[in-house]
Amino acid sequence: MKIIFLGPPGAGKGTLSTMVCRDFGVVQISTGDIFREAIEKETPLGKRIKKIVENGELVPDELTVSLVKERLSEEDARTGYILDGFPRTIRQAEALQTFENITMVVNLDIKNDQIIIERLSGRRICGSCHAIYHIKNNPPKIENKCDRCGEDLIIREDDEIPAIRNRLEIYRKKTKPLIDFYANRGILHTIDASGTSEEVYRAFTRLAEKADG
Ligand code: AP5
């Protein structure tokens, strides 16, 4: 299973990735998580990209591609992976196909921006293990504490309304064209991502079973 999850910010790529990794034994590779961790640790990469990520802009293609290429060469990616948040531009997609053979692209479709805004403005994440919560849809058992590791939950800098609007605009301009890019290659599947996370997961498993048999 070498899968790409495409979709606008807040479509639920990270949430679905966690569920699929748990049940299908593949690894999640989230460029967003990699960048946020670098920023948190104040590495040279983190310092370079902090403003870009917090404003919801895209990190330069060359830098992103070389990072993903390196990550995919690690042992745990051999048996299968989900690319969550990569590629995000045609240039990234073209680069990816020079070194990887993707089996399926799943487009998490949400037509209503209001759903996206509600999801993102209520999101909380664990700064330590990256677990994802929502104050209404998926609250932690103890308020503001991660169920998995007990650390405090935080609000992402790019989940402020102006950054969300910027991310949506960039998605439409730069990432949405990837839907046609992969449809033309015959590997695109679309799931309605506006239902509950369980409904989205069931739609994914139906797709995976069909692809298998
Ligand atoms: P990234 O972290 O990839 O952000 P994103 O693509 O904008 O996606 P999100 O993480 O915001 O949303 P998601 O679809 O994963 O939704 P989630 O599951 O969390 O990237 C961040 C930044 O890094 C970029 O802006 C850019 O700067 C940089 N970057 C990353 N990759 C890059 C690349 N390839 N090139 C250049 N720059 C790059 O869910 C959202 C909320 O909704 C949660 O609260 C969740 O609990 C809730 N929720 C999820 N599913 C459901 C559901 N079905 N029903 C109800 N609630 C739900």
Side-chain angles (χ1 to χ4, degrees), residues 76-94:
D76 64 346
R78 294 238 171 112
T79 43
Y81 54 77
I82 295 166
L83 288 176
D84 161 14
F86 179 91
R88 245 175 163 95
T89 64
I90 296 283
R91 278 185 64 196
Q92 291 181 11
E94 285 171 347

Side-chain angles (χ1 to χ4, degrees), residues 7-16 30-33 35-36 49 52-61 64 68 84-89 92 108 115-116 118-120 122-125 132-135 137-138 156 158-159 167 193-200:
K13 302 180 294 296
T15 301
L16 181 62
S30 157
T31 37
D33 282 348
F35 292 145
R36 278 186 292 280
I49 62 171
I52 300 177
V53 173
E54 289 178 355
N55 292 332
E57 304 289 330
L58 293 185
V59 174
D61 286 334
T64 308
V68 171
D84 161 14
F86 179 91
R88 245 175 163 95
T89 64
Q92 291 181 11
L108 301 186
I115 296 181
I116 289 176
E118 276 164 24
R119 285 188 185 177
L120 294 181
R123 173 165 56 189
R124 301 290 182 271
I125 60 160
I132 305 165
Y133 300 88
H134 188 279
I135 48 173
N137 307 336
N138 179 28
R156 274 172 48 172
D158 61 349
D159 279 347
R167 286 159 64 201
S194 59
T196 64
S197 48
E198 286 74 22
E199 285 167 346
V200 177

Side-chain angles (χ1 to χ4, degrees), residues 35 37-52:
F35 292 145
E37 197 171 323
I39 294 169
E40 169 76 22
K41 290 186 174 152
E42 298 184 349
T43 64
L45 168 71
K47 285 180 189 158
R48 183 171 162 200
I49 62 171
K50 183 172 163 48
K51 281 276 165 298
I52 300 177

Side-chain angles (χ1 to χ4, degrees), residues 103-117:
T103 48
M104 187 196 272
V105 178
V106 181
N107 174 34
L108 301 186
D109 186 38
I110 296 209
K111 295 198 167 53
N112 184 340
D113 280 1
Q114 201 45 43
I115 296 181
I116 289 176
I117 290 169

